[in-house]
Amino acid sequence: MKYEELKSHIEVFICNYKREDQECCLDKGSKELTDKLKKWAKEETNKEIKVFRSGCLGKCSEGIAMTCFPQKNYMLDVRIDDFEEIKKGLAEALQKFKS
Ligand code: FES
């Protein structure tokens, strides 16, 4: 086993899980939101914010569900329209980590 330091300061996980038996984040547009945030993070944050698709976060009825580290909080009932607000919040958090 070996360790390697992460280059990112913030890691964002967005549920992209598809459920057949109940509501799920994928049906609410989580893939589109993930793709937009991944593109923004890659192009605008020099990969200091990394965005990942995740499996179910256990908050299916409150999706789209996301979580961020190291903040360790859930963002629930997220909509694609929240993209600008999410971006702003992540950019502000990144500045705090870097200062
Ligand atoms: S399907 Fe997204 S939290 Fe369960």
Side-chain angles (χ1 to χ4, degrees):
M1 179 167 72
K2 69 176 189 176
Y3 294 94
E4 186 175 320
E5 189 174 338
L6 293 170
K7 294 187 175 88
S8 56
H9 297 286
I10 297 174
E11 308 226 325
V12 180
F13 296 85
I14 305 172
C15 173
N16 274 234
Y17 196 73
K18 170 71 176 166
R19 288 192 173 282
E20 300 297 338
D21 57 335
Q22 67 184 68
E23 63 183 295
C24 64
C25 297
L26 193 66
D27 287 347
K28 296 175 185 172
S30 63
K31 181 181 184 312
E32 181 183 346
L33 179 65
T34 305
D35 290 346
K36 286 175 74 168
L37 272 177
K38 280 174 90 76
K39 184 174 188 301
W40 167 76
K42 185 176 178 184
E43 293 175 358
E44 304 293 330
T45 75
N46 197 26
K47 299 182 182 175
E48 292 179 311
I49 296 175
K50 294 271 290 183
V51 179
F52 300 93
R53 294 180 213 296
S54 82
C56 179
L57 297 173
K59 300 284 187 184
C60 314
S61 64
E62 300 173 88
I64 298 171
M66 312 172 43
T67 187
C68 297
F69 294 90
Q71 292 94 326
K72 297 196 308 188
N73 55 6
Y74 283 113
M75 296 168 73
L76 302 171
D77 290 321
V78 178
R79 298 290 173 254
I80 292 172
D81 291 348
D82 296 326
F83 176 67
E84 293 296 328
E85 185 178 338
I86 294 165
K87 249 178 32 178
K88 185 172 179 254
L90 289 171
E92 287 172 0
L94 180 59
Q95 288 308 313
K96 283 184 190 163
F97 281 112
K98 291 171 74 174
S99 62

